[in-house]
Amino acid sequence: MADAVILPKLGQTVEESTIVKWHKSEGDDVAKGDILFEIETDKAVLEVESFFEGKLLKVFAVDGDTLPVLSVVGYIGKDGEDVPDQPPAAVVPATPAPEVSEKKAAAPKVAVAPVASPVAKAAAPVVSAPVVAAPVRLKISPRAKKLAVSKCISPAGVTGTGPEGRIVVKDIVAYLDSYNYDDIKISPSAKKLAVNEEIDILTVKATGLGGRMVIEDVRRAVDEKPKTMTKMRKVISQRLTESFRDVPHFYVTVSVDMTDVLAFRQEVKSQGGEYSVTDFILEAVIMTLEEFKPVNSMTDGTTVTWSSSVDLGLAVGLDDGLVVPVISDSGNLSMQELHDTVKDLATRARSGKLMPDEMQGSTFTVSNMGMFGVDNFNAIINPGESAILAVASTIKTPVVKDDKVVVRDIMKLTLSVDHRIVDGTVGAMFVNAVKEKLEDIALWETLV
Amino acid sequence: MPNYLSNSKPDFKPYTVDCGEIKAFSYKKTLKSELSSKKVGKQECIDMLEDMMMIREFEEMIIKLRSGAYPSCAGFDYRGPTHVSIGQEASAVGGCIGIAADDQITSTHRGHGDSIAKGCAAIRAMSTDELKKRVPKSKAKGRKDLLEAVLEDHIFKTCAELFGKEAGYCKGRGGGMHIADFSVGHLGANAIVGGGVPIATGAAMAARYKKEKTVTACFAGDGAYANGVVLESLNWAAMHQFTNHLAKGNKFGLPVIYLLINNHYGMTGRADDEVAGVGCLARRAVGFADNNMHAQVVNGMDVMAVRDAVQTAAEGCRKGKGPYLMEIDSYRYYGHSLSDPRNEYRMREEEANWKAVDPIDTFANKLIKNKVMSAARYESLKMQVEERNAVAAGRAAKSPDPEAIDVIKYMYTDGNSEEVPAKHQKVKIVKEEPVIERDAEGQLSYKDAIKEALLEEMKRDGRVMIYGEDVADYGGAFKVTKGLLEAFGRDRVFNSPISEAAICGTAVGAAMVGLRPVVELMYMDFALMASDQISNQAAKWHYMTGASVEVPVVYRAAVGGGKGYGGQHSQTLETMFAHMPGMIVAYPSTPYDAKGMLKTAIRDNNPVMFVESQMLYGFKGVVPEEEYTIPFGVADVKRAGTDVTLVTWGPAVHDALKAAEALQAEKVSVEVIDLRTIVPLDIDTVLDSVKKTGRCVVASQCISNASFTGEIASQVMEKVFDYLDAPVARIGALNGIAPQSHVLEAAFLPNANDIANVCKSLM
Ligand SMILES: Cc1ncc(C[n+]2csc(CCOP(=O)(O)OP(=O)(O)O)c2C)c(N)n1
Ligand SMILES: [Mg+2]
């Protein structure tokens, strides 16, 4: 099948782009990496390369056309292959929508020439390709549907025997009979609630006198009813599923002795310095990332891209969900600046005030569950990153120090790593490097 | 015994046809001689002048309105046509003065002049009481003031109609191109070129039949005289049977005067050198009547010449010497409408030449010269006309618009002929009535049921007449009217020429003036020859005149489908007429319904397309001998059922019933509904049934593409969607042209099996 050439979405806010100039015409041979056309966004003129090898079979847009991003502008395929005469409707809504079905996620196939690299980096994490099968539409006649609604049952389990397997009235009637529907006793208020809440009363356990279904029963059913995820949960669900399924994770854990750094923090505090434990952990991670190139990289499976700046993601838990604000170019921040930035981002994250761009483009994430009394945990890598560091609670633990059993404040760090670009030794070295820094008071004295 | 058997012999002796002579401009009388011989009075002359001035003032107002330069209508935005007739005033006034005040006219898209002239002529002839009735609210006393009030009211109502106001002659529904005032014998302007000519002819035919001395003057342009229906009408009016031995006691030519207003242009097409092959259009008459319809060419710039010619013709008409045709040589100073600058097709010099013989200026000068009036009186008359028009137009502009909610009011009338006026109840049976015999079970064929309805209605109401091709001696192509000529005579049952447009159009004219024609179209396919007369004329006049006229005609059209007659004789076309608001569309499926529905159709005051099935003509059913009628818009549930509602009409009803019977054996219970009329549509019966069954199939013999079956399916889905247990299905003829081949036609038309299969597909 021919591959669609798609007008790339370059940048978060870009909704349409103009094709400035085609470099290829219909019928031209195209090699992978050839420049297909130049596009202009509100920011810049960029060249778009081909990801496909073959013949440019069809071109839908001419120079100067302005189109919604992600529009199909042509097809590349084998000579003589059939391609549509008309472009399909714009494949993805112009606003970023995580609920992109697989076919539509053609965006990652679009390469952008190096000139566009800063944008490309920002764009990359936007891409996610969960397979959301379109829900199968229940084939049911309006009359049957009306009957089902009036009887407070869900027709989902009814077998259709009408033409083309459509559920028709007699199927509903048979279904009701099979449940001895007429014997169901239900209070009028319970029935009313069931109708309003679309509760299938065949699934509700009746607890009223003499087997009567009462309003409490229906209320319980309402509570148990599947609820649609919030948009954020759907995004989390899709992105993490994608990561956990596609990225080969491995985990390395170390125990960090936090006793000294905690004492140091108290000391600084008594002198008016306001640092959180997290600040120390993040600073240690930032420094370590600057030392370990592969861990500050990402891969699409075929290429590895290193980022010269450390854009650190910090997972922040919300009432229902999780966001990851990004501390951009964190390597250039002083401890004080880091503290202020983290505080600001976390506060705004909790109040939902983050801008979309502030949650894009991280290279590595820290997930801190220290305040939740956990011994240890494994985190799932944020799509587009190479690793994530899971920070557990600091727990007073008997340890052997200088051959004596002493009580120390021990915190476990577990690094989840994308094995495609980071191997065990690097992973081990990385966590140990973080550990060393946290345990090195002399270092902190120079930083704070 | 047939009434008339031809018995000609071949006769090839050489001879020469004498086409006779047509005189042009033979009017030689002077105003002085006319006055002294008392052929015209002084006041009448002044009145004619004033009428011409009123027309010109009115049309100049239209021109000014277009540029906002008419002070009394400042700020009023006139939207509508601007077909002014400036230059032609003498033909309008001379034509309307030449006939009597209670005679009739039909007019054209360029009809302000005719309309104003006819109104003025009638008004000036009214008694004081009649004048008062036209302006009941006026405080005017004395004939002079009253007359002035009525003339102002006439201009007001004309203006209001032009402006689309509720106070207009047609309540703003018709506008200038469809203006009519039946109270003064104005049967309507017509925006279809030539469309009014068969109407005038039909009105004249009605006068002849009723033995009234009414004359109809038919205004139509040079352009119209190339139009088929106009030529059909000329032929119609001159038919020998109106005047020869066939006419028995009523040898009387149609009292119609065709006023061919030759202003030398269609829109821009030139009658003179371009789009006609005769130098003199009056020659048209030569082809249609042995007496050339007394044709002559008249100076249309001279009101006295026009008046004289029309007077002579009207007198002749009243003696049964009609029809008359006269070409009125005239000129319009402006273009077809104000959007036509006319310089693409004629010279300004030509206009100047005609303006030099301006009908108003020349007549005014003659009146002054002959001391009929003074120059000062002329000046004051000018002022009076101007002022009257300004006041009337100002009032019209300010008068209320129709209410938007009433946009489709007047589409149909509730009127009918349940009460037949006493004078029409007396019906003469010329010879014996046809005997229509029932079989032992009391059954009649569909055909005989129709004949019985015709017979009964003709006996009941003398206004009912039948005509069409071959309906008389031969009894119709399908013998439906056999015996009716013998019963009622040729005045009421006669053969028409093969002129479908004239058949349908004359019926409109006859119906407008009080008859109730039932005309036969033989094959329904031929109705397309008469599309305009059925769809634009019959269907629309009640609405376009704001309900001031009714058009009680019945068009009987027989569908030939199923007989192997091919593409031009087999179509089921009721859908086309259902799409024409104003028509009723009926299609009975049984002898019982055929009789009861035809009787209703004849008594209904709306135009009815009454569709018959040739395949059913021999189909028998019980038809009671007692009087009954079947109301329109009431469907008949032919068979009750619980699983599928099968909606149908016409011959498909029988296939539907067979399908239902077959499905019964398969435990599918089908409810069969015969709609009987598709307009009005008894959708409630359908909806109630679908609510019960949950499934709906619509079957007819129309091809499915754009068929009325789709209308029903759509309404069912809109109105009872939640009750549907399956999609609404349709079945009709295949989307093609009826083939002659019997094998192909069987495949083309839906049969009981096809219908049953569609029903089953929903189960
Ligand atoms: C059936 C039909 N065809 C065409 C037209 C468009 N049309 C309106 S007026 C006109 C010219 C009519 O010429 P004529 O009969 O000489 O009347 P005149 O306009 O000269 O008064 C035409 C072609 C129409 N209204 N009706
Ligand atoms: Mg003309």
Side-chain angles (χ1 to χ4, degrees):
Chain A
M1 228 199 77
D3 290 296
V5 180
I6 287 171
L7 191 65
K9 179 179 175 68
L10 302 169
Q12 192 56 33
T13 54
V14 180
E15 301 202 346
E16 51 181 28
S17 300
T18 305
I19 297 190
V20 182
K21 182 166 184 263
W22 276 89
H23 287 228
K24 297 278 178 189
S25 328
E26 230 169 78
D28 284 0
D29 287 320
V30 178
K32 208 165 156 180
D34 279 357
I35 294 166
L36 289 173
F37 52 89
E38 286 168 40
I39 62 171
E40 182 175 37
T41 68
D42 45 356
K43 298 192 180 78
V45 174
L46 306 165
E47 292 173 340
V48 177
E49 293 176 8
S50 174
F51 249 99
F52 315 111
E53 182 105 40
K55 208 179 235 341
L56 187 54
L57 296 171
K58 191 90 210 169
V59 168
F60 295 126
V62 299
D63 294 355
D65 276 359
T66 299
L67 301 163
V69 295
L70 304 183
S71 298
V72 174
V73 295
Y75 280 98
I76 293 176
K78 285 203 262 340
D79 205 355
E81 227 181 315
D82 258 354
V83 292
D85 279 345
Q86 298 279 328
V91 283
V92 164
T95 41
E99 304 97 314
V100 185
S101 77
E102 183 177 50
K103 242 210 226 119
K104 299 166 181 172
K109 293 183 184 166
V110 175
V112 176
V115 278
S117 71
V119 192
K121 192 177 111 188
V126 173
V127 174
S128 58
V131 186
V132 186
V136 183
R137 202 175 178 279
L138 195 65
K139 240 193 184 158
I140 179 166
S141 79
R143 190 184 185 94
K145 194 167 186 175
K146 194 175 175 222
L147 180 62
V149 169
S150 75
K151 295 287 184 186
C152 282
I153 61 142
S154 157
V158 179
T159 311
T161 66
E164 294 164 49
R166 186 183 296 116
I167 298 169
V168 293
V169 156
K170 75 171 180 339
D171 302 328
I172 302 279
V173 172
Y175 181 76
L176 294 174
D177 287 350
S178 73
Y179 278 87
N180 292 327
Y181 185 90
D182 289 344
D183 299 341
I184 295 174
K185 285 178 233 124
I186 179 166
S187 77
S189 61
K191 176 135 190 200
K192 197 168 164 208
L193 183 64
V195 171
N196 288 342
E197 293 288 337
E198 294 178 19
I199 295 297
D200 181 351
I201 61 169
L202 295 178
T203 64
V204 179
K205 198 164 160 244
T207 63
L209 223 63
R212 193 180 178 79
M213 194 177 296
V214 290
I215 193 153
E216 287 72 26
D217 298 328
V218 179
R219 284 207 186 110
R220 195 176 60 240
V222 171
D223 289 342
E224 288 172 0
K225 205 163 84 163
K227 314 259 179 324
T228 335
M229 279 182 175
T230 60
K231 215 166 173 185
M232 181 190 287
R233 278 246 70 85
K234 280 187 199 156
V235 176
I236 293 169
S237 148
Q238 282 157 11
R239 289 170 58 101
L240 296 185
T241 303
E242 176 196 337
S243 169
F244 206 57
R245 185 189 57 215
D246 296 344
V247 178
H249 285 61
F250 76 90
Y251 311 96
V252 222
T253 307
V254 290
S255 296
V256 183
D257 185 341
M258 295 292 283
T259 318
D260 295 345
V261 79
L262 290 181
F264 177 73
R265 175 176 169 261
Q266 281 309 323
E267 194 188 315
V268 175
K269 194 173 182 181
S270 65
Q271 292 162 16
E274 265 292 349
Y275 295 108
S276 68
V277 182
T278 308
D279 294 340
F280 287 91
I281 298 167
L282 293 179
E283 185 63 34
V285 168
I286 292 164
M287 287 186 291
T288 313
L289 280 170
E290 289 180 325
E291 296 160 12
F292 287 81
K293 263 188 156 182
V295 187
N296 202 39
S297 298
M298 62 164 199
T299 182
D300 56 11
T302 45
T303 54
V304 177
T305 312
W306 171 68
S307 170
S308 62
S309 68
V310 174
D311 300 322
L312 189 66
L314 176 64
V316 178
L318 307 176
D319 282 351
D320 179 25
L322 176 78
V323 287
V324 184
V326 179
I327 309 158
S328 299
D329 207 4
S330 56
N332 286 335
L333 300 179
S334 67
M335 262 299 263
Q336 187 59 50
E337 287 165 342
L338 178 68
H339 171 81
D340 292 345
T341 308
V342 168
K343 200 170 163 188
D344 168 55
L345 287 173
T347 319
R348 286 195 292 119
R350 289 195 188 94
S351 57
K353 297 254 167 68
L354 289 177
M355 304 303 288
D357 282 351
E358 292 178 302
M359 295 181 280
Q360 299 292 345
S362 54
T363 53
F364 182 98
T365 295
V366 173
S367 173
N368 186 355
M369 296 229 282
M371 46 301 225
F372 300 121
V374 296
D375 288 353
N376 194 19
F377 71 100
N378 296 338
I380 296 173
I381 299 168
N382 228 358
E385 301 177 5
S386 64
I388 184 166
L389 187 69
V391 180
S393 300
T394 303
I395 295 167
K396 289 216 178 295
T397 313
V399 298
V400 177
K401 194 173 171 145
D402 300 334
D403 285 346
K404 279 190 202 125
V405 174
V406 290
V407 174
R408 300 291 290 181
D409 292 305
I410 300 298
M411 172 185 80
K412 288 205 166 122
L413 293 180
T414 299
L415 186 71
S416 310
V417 199
D418 181 346
H419 210 333
R420 292 175 301 176
I421 40 174
V422 180
D423 293 328
T425 41
V426 177
M429 281 158 65
F430 182 89
V431 277
N432 275 297
V434 175
K435 170 184 161 86
E436 271 160 30
K437 290 189 178 65
L438 281 168
E439 290 174 354
D440 182 357
I441 296 306
L443 171 69
W444 296 113
E445 279 168 346
T446 66
L447 293 172
V448 174
Chain B
M1 251 313 264
N3 284 48
Y4 168 51
L5 295 172
S6 292
N7 184 17
S8 71
K9 289 179 203 71
D11 180 4
F12 303 127
K13 273 199 285 316
Y15 80 114
T16 307
V17 178
D18 178 4
C19 287
E21 289 182 335
I22 294 176
K23 292 236 158 56
F25 313 126
S26 55
Y27 177 76
K28 287 283 178 290
K29 292 169 211 163
T30 61
L31 182 61
K32 198 171 170 187
S33 71
E34 293 272 42
L35 285 165
S36 59
S37 66
K38 301 247 180 330
K39 278 283 179 62
V40 70
K42 287 187 175 179
Q43 186 56 43
E44 196 186 350
C45 289
I46 297 171
D47 289 346
M48 284 192 285
L49 177 67
E50 183 178 354
D51 291 354
M52 291 198 287
M53 289 163 68
M54 283 170 74
I55 296 169
R56 182 154 305 177
E57 179 63 23
F58 185 89
E59 297 200 315
E60 283 179 347
M61 167 194 76
I62 295 175
I63 297 171
K64 290 176 190 155
L65 274 176
R66 269 292 157 110
S67 45
Y70 194 71
S72 87
C73 297
F76 176 73
D77 177 22
Y78 170 61
R79 296 182 187 200
T82 53
H83 302 137
V84 297
S85 65
I86 296 177
Q88 301 177 194
E89 295 86 351
S91 48
V93 172
C96 292
I97 284 288
I99 55 175
D102 51 3
D103 282 338
Q104 298 162 161
I105 66 162
T106 63
S107 175
T108 72
H109 59 283
R110 199 177 303 288
H112 314 124
D114 306 337
S115 188
I116 291 173
K118 180 67 177 122
C120 287
I123 288 164
R124 292 186 197 285
M126 281 177 189
S127 69
T128 309
D129 276 352
E130 286 168 325
L131 288 175
K132 263 195 195 130
K133 265 193 218 128
R134 276 186 85 95
V135 286
K137 287 195 193 124
S138 166
K139 293 193 183 73
K141 285 202 196 74
R143 184 169 172 92
K144 193 165 162 262
D145 289 353
L146 205 49
L147 183 64
E148 178 54 35
V150 176
L151 289 175
E152 192 268 343
D153 172 72
H154 177 40
I155 297 297
F156 164 72
K157 289 200 176 103
T158 308
C159 253
E161 190 53 37
L162 202 69
F163 296 171
K165 301 291 194 169
E166 190 70 30
Y169 273 122
C170 304
K171 303 193 174 71
R173 269 55 171 189
M177 289 208 293
H178 310 104
I179 197 165
D181 179 7
F182 293 85
S183 72
V184 298
H186 183 355
L187 308 187
N190 212 304
I192 300 295
V193 170
V197 178
I199 293 176
T201 310
M205 203 170 70
R208 174 189 181 274
Y209 171 67
K210 292 193 277 182
K211 303 200 167 71
E212 287 165 356
K213 296 287 175 197
T214 317
V215 172
T216 305
C218 171
F219 290 90
D222 47 286
Y225 275 74
N227 190 313
V229 75
V230 174
L231 305 178
E232 284 185 12
S233 299
L234 297 184
N235 180 60
W236 188 287
M239 280 192 284
H240 278 146
Q241 65 174 324
F242 291 141
T243 50
N244 69 6
H245 60 100
L246 292 175
K248 301 251 163 67
N250 194 16
K251 296 188 173 83
F252 198 89
L254 290 201
V256 56
I257 308 168
Y258 296 109
L259 295 174
L260 191 174
I261 311 300
N262 185 1
N263 59 13
H264 301 273
Y265 295 93
M267 267 175 65
T268 67
R270 286 156 285 228
D272 296 345
D273 297 320
E274 197 177 19
V275 298
V278 292
C280 162
L281 281 172
R283 280 175 65 147
R284 292 277 190 258
V286 179
F288 295 109
D290 293 335
N291 67 359
N292 293 353
M293 298 188 179
H294 320 277
Q296 56 165 314
V297 187
V298 180
N299 177 357
M301 305 307 266
D302 179 356
V303 68
M304 289 301 290
V306 178
R307 171 180 174 277
D308 179 79
V310 173
Q311 260 180 353
T312 312
E315 275 162 31
C317 279
R318 279 183 242 285
K319 292 190 187 120
K321 292 189 185 153
Y324 281 72
L325 183 144
M326 50 197 59
E327 178 186 342
I328 312 290
D329 194 9
S330 181
Y331 198 76
R332 63 165 155 77
Y333 297 170
Y334 287 87
H336 164 66
S337 71
L338 296 184
S339 25
D340 165 14
R342 62 231 198 247
N343 42 13
E344 282 110 330
Y345 58 92
R346 72 190 195 189
M347 313 239 290
R348 286 289 187 261
E349 284 79 355
E350 177 182 289
E351 291 174 3
N353 296 337
W354 285 89
K355 283 179 185 167
V357 291
D358 182 78
I360 296 177
D361 291 350
T362 50
F363 192 54
N365 286 340
K366 270 189 209 162
L367 295 192
I368 294 166
K369 218 172 87 198
N370 285 283
K371 304 221 159 44
V372 176
M373 68 175 189
S374 65
R377 172 87 177 88
Y378 182 38
E379 288 311 310
S380 74
L381 192 59
K382 272 188 199 163
M383 298 260 293
Q384 190 186 355
V385 167
E386 252 172 60
E387 247 167 62
R388 179 194 296 140
N389 200 86
V391 171
R395 280 211 295 134
K398 285 188 206 80
S399 75
D401 291 311
E403 298 284 342
I405 194 172
D406 290 335
V407 60
I408 52 175
K409 199 171 165 182
Y410 308 129
M411 201 81 79
Y412 291 93
T413 169
D414 291 333
N416 58 47
S417 66
E418 278 317 316
E419 308 266 303
V420 179
K423 65 174 173 178
H424 299 300
Q425 286 179 18
K426 285 184 260 93
V427 167
K428 199 168 97 199
I429 301 294
V430 178
K431 263 193 194 157
E432 71 277 15
E433 286 177 35
V435 183
I436 300 169
E437 268 181 284
R438 284 167 171 70
D439 68 11
E441 284 91 57
Q443 297 193 116
L444 281 184
S445 68
Y446 185 91
K447 182 199 305 188
D448 277 344
I450 293 170
K451 188 195 285 189
E452 192 165 85
L454 292 170
L455 179 65
E456 286 179 12
E457 292 307 300
M458 289 187 80
K459 277 160 70 177
R460 175 180 174 273
D461 185 344
R463 294 168 299 179
V464 179
M465 57 153 54
I466 290 179
Y467 56 92
E469 294 157 26
D470 314 296
V471 298
D473 310 78
Y474 185 59
F478 313 111
K479 295 285 186 273
V480 175
T481 54
K482 185 71 195 165
L484 297 177
L485 167 68
E486 291 80 347
F488 301 105
R490 214 171 284 272
D491 267 0
R492 293 185 69 191
V493 181
F494 63 90
N495 285 337
S496 76
I498 302 164
S499 304
E500 284 76 12
I503 293 171
C504 294
T506 53
V508 174
M512 277 181 170
V513 298
L515 295 189
R516 311 187 72 84
V518 182
V519 301
E520 185 176 303
L521 278 170
M522 204 183 298
Y523 281 82
M524 186 165 205
D525 312 66
F526 310 158
L528 301 184
M529 295 288 291
S531 303
D532 172 60
Q533 293 300 321
I534 299 169
S535 306
N536 284 327
Q537 311 296 341
K540 294 191 173 64
W541 275 110
H542 180 256
Y543 178 83
M544 291 199 302
T545 58
S548 52
V549 73
E550 293 173 332
V551 186
V553 288
V554 179
Y555 296 118
R556 289 182 44 238
V559 172
K563 300 195 312 176
Y565 264 51
Q568 297 171 338
H569 280 68
S570 307
Q571 296 169 90
T572 299
L573 295 176
E574 59 270 21
T575 289
M576 296 189 71
F577 299 99
H579 197 63
M580 289 299 161
M583 287 304 292
I584 283 177
V585 182
Y587 198 167
S589 67
T590 64
Y592 176 82
D593 285 352
K595 180 176 174 188
M597 286 164 67
L598 183 54
K599 286 165 74 83
T600 304
I602 293 170
R603 295 182 198 186
D604 199 290
N605 286 1
N606 293 290
V608 180
M609 176 55 70
F610 193 84
V611 191
E612 300 167 11
S613 163
Q614 292 173 29
M615 291 301 279
L616 290 181
Y617 274 147
F619 182 86
K620 284 193 168 183
V622 173
V623 177
E625 283 176 61
E626 310 79 69
E627 161 82 15
Y628 69 95
T629 56
I630 293 172
F632 286 158
V634 181
D636 183 21
V637 180
K638 289 275 185 217
R639 178 190 175 108
T642 53
D643 296 332
V644 182
T645 300
L646 183 47
V647 184
T648 180
W649 63 90
V653 169
H654 302 285
D655 296 322
L657 287 169
K658 277 187 215 139
E661 193 61 40
L663 288 168
Q664 187 68 43
E666 302 183 34
K667 299 270 177 304
V668 178
S669 159
V670 181
E671 178 144 312
V672 178
I673 297 177
D674 179 358
L675 291 176
R676 303 200 282 201
T677 52
I678 58 172
V679 182
L681 173 64
D682 181 4
I683 195 69
D684 290 341
T685 296
V686 175
L687 299 180
D688 287 345
S689 173
V690 176
K691 281 188 195 167
K692 184 175 70 174
T693 62
R695 295 184 187 80
C696 182
V697 173
V698 193
S700 89
Q701 293 202 336
C702 306
I703 64 162
S704 290
N705 185 26
S707 157
F708 200 78
T709 53
E711 173 64 28
I712 294 165
S714 155
Q715 290 202 30
V716 167
M717 283 192 263
E718 279 165 25
K719 291 171 180 160
V720 290
F721 181 72
D722 279 336
Y723 292 88
L724 289 174
D725 213 10
V728 180
R730 300 192 289 148
I731 173 149
L734 302 183
N735 287 325
I737 294 163
Q740 192 275 338
S741 150
H742 191 61
V743 174
L744 293 182
E745 191 173 30
F748 175 71
L749 289 173
N751 61 27
N753 204 26
D754 301 329
I755 296 174
N757 283 339
V758 176
C759 295
K760 270 197 286 187
S761 75
L762 303 186
M763 301 306 299

